[in-house]
Amino acid sequence: MSDLSHVLVLAGGLSYEREVSLRSGRRVSEVLRATGIDVETRDTDASLVPAVLADRPDAVFVTLHGGAGEDGAIRSVLELLGVPYVGADPDACRVAFDKPTAKAVVRSVGLRTPDSVTLPKETFHDLGASAVLTRIVDHLGLPLFVKPARGGSALGASFVRTAEELPAAMVGCFAYGDTALIERYVDGVEVSVSVVDLGEGPVALPPVEIVPDEGVYDYAARYTAGHTEFFAPARLSPKASAACAEMAVTAHTALGLRDVSRTDLIVDADGLPHFLEVNVAPGMTETSLLPMAVEAAGQDLGVLCRTLLERAAHRSAIPNPSTPRP
């Protein structure tokens, strides 16, 4: 029997990933209720802080994707309120949410990650887009993968096969952020590895292999049933699977993450994984990868979410500023 009497699931927000977040929040709320937990689901608006102060939850499960949900902002507010929550603290979120920074951190601990260039929109405006794009192709080669430096759900991301496709990819990227990450494309098997810590240190769940119908795992392929085929566990050799698990746990640890994360990788023809990015608030929808990994591991998603909340509730929360100190 759980000692959680009341938990709060945060979903929605104002990022481009609002609809996905709402779906994640509904799923988490449903599986928690199935385990007997009293769950309240709230959006992040002006009513949130007064509601939390009036009816303090035992713990919060953050299912906000993109923006404030993953950049540490909402978690900072929860800490100001003295409310424990599942997931990484604000400082770790800020590092992990910025893809170029996260790549630099994991590379510093020896992980393999594709060569890349990170440039803000102003650089192309000031120096001339044509000249800069030509140097990018000369330096990184083709094909390339372009994506916003911050954000998720593949919004603004493009696979670039030729130099002629690069300008349009940059325009699409800048529609979702002011800074672009341009990576050398690594051909191979796309894999996602979820990491959970239920009290005995971070452990990798079975890797999930992603095979989109159109070849690119874009927004539609991620969230439209039937557009992508998944294999859980991934169809990898035992050695490659172990390497993926080790990379995901190492990234989780190096970035200072907590409770749960999901690392996206490409496994090349030699069976070597390459780090792409990490997610501090993995999707929890019916087509999301973490729930697939949980099922492949023979675990129950509701029980896992409840355990994460129980661990969060038992952590020492930052003292509420309104509480007099002894």
Side-chain angles (χ1 to χ4, degrees):
M1 188 70 179
S2 175
D3 57 359
L4 296 171
S5 60
H6 173 54
V7 302
L8 177 63
V9 173
L10 289 182
L14 295 177
S15 80
Y16 294 114
E17 299 172 69
R18 174 178 173 81
E19 292 304 315
V20 178
S21 172
L22 290 170
R23 288 170 57 185
S24 285
R26 283 195 295 269
R27 180 84 185 279
V28 170
S29 297
E30 288 169 1
V31 298
L32 284 171
R33 289 190 182 105
T35 70
I37 302 296
D38 175 30
V39 181
E40 178 187 7
T41 305
R42 297 195 69 92
D43 208 330
T44 53
D45 53 30
S47 68
L48 178 62
V49 171
V52 170
L53 291 173
D55 185 12
R56 177 190 169 91
D58 297 314
V60 175
F61 204 111
V62 180
T63 61
L64 299 165
H65 306 317
E70 296 183 65
D71 67 3
I74 288 295
R75 297 165 199 242
S76 292
V77 173
L78 293 175
E79 294 201 351
L80 289 172
L81 295 170
V83 178
Y85 54 88
V86 171
D89 67 22
D91 287 343
C93 285
R94 280 187 281 272
V95 173
F97 186 59
D98 188 80
K99 296 180 182 70
T101 303
K103 282 169 64 75
V105 170
V106 301
R107 180 170 288 174
S108 74
V109 296
L111 297 188
R112 195 179 298 104
T113 187
D115 290 340
S116 62
V117 174
T118 303
L119 292 172
K121 181 165 56 177
E122 289 78 8
T123 300
F124 294 90
H125 178 271
D126 296 344
L127 301 182
S130 179
V132 175
L133 293 178
T134 297
R135 293 305 304 153
I136 289 173
V137 173
D138 290 346
H139 179 68
L140 293 177
L142 290 164
L144 299 168
F145 201 82
V146 177
K147 54 189 173 183
R150 309 174 93 216
S153 293
L155 292 168
S158 299
F159 176 50
V160 175
R161 298 170 180 82
T162 68
E164 290 72 25
E165 294 175 346
L166 187 53
M170 301 302 295
V171 171
C173 176
F174 288 137
Y176 290 93
D178 292 333
T179 301
L181 171 64
I182 306 105
E183 283 185 320
R184 177 177 289 148
Y185 179 76
V186 177
D187 190 27
V189 178
E190 191 162 358
V191 171
S192 181
V193 182
S194 298
V195 173
V196 295
D197 185 349
L198 302 180
E200 297 182 356
V203 175
L205 298 178
V208 178
E209 179 182 348
I210 303 156
V211 187
D213 289 347
E214 301 298 324
V216 178
Y217 193 43
D218 58 14
Y219 186 88
R222 288 167 188 252
Y223 301 113
T224 306
H227 280 217
T228 300
E229 190 172 9
F230 300 97
F231 296 90
R235 299 170 299 176
L236 299 172
S237 69
K239 183 177 179 180
S241 291
C244 289
E246 181 181 1
M247 178 170 281
V249 170
T250 300
H252 180 98
T253 304
L255 292 164
L257 304 183
R258 185 173 68 183
D259 295 335
V260 61
S261 69
R262 195 197 74 227
T263 294
D264 297 332
L265 313 166
I266 291 288
V267 181
D268 66 22
D270 295 322
L272 300 175
H274 300 251
F275 173 93
L276 298 180
E277 58 190 75
V278 69
N279 193 308
V280 300
M284 303 293 279
T285 74
E286 295 76 7
T287 58
S288 293
L289 303 169
L290 187 146
M292 293 182 198
V294 172
E295 183 177 354
Q299 300 180 27
D300 180 90
L301 183 61
V303 172
L304 184 140
C305 290
R306 184 185 67 194
T307 303
L308 291 172
L309 283 161
E310 288 170 342
R311 281 179 46 75
H314 283 97
R315 279 198 289 263
S316 298
I318 292 177
N320 189 323
S322 64
T323 303
R325 295 182 181 272

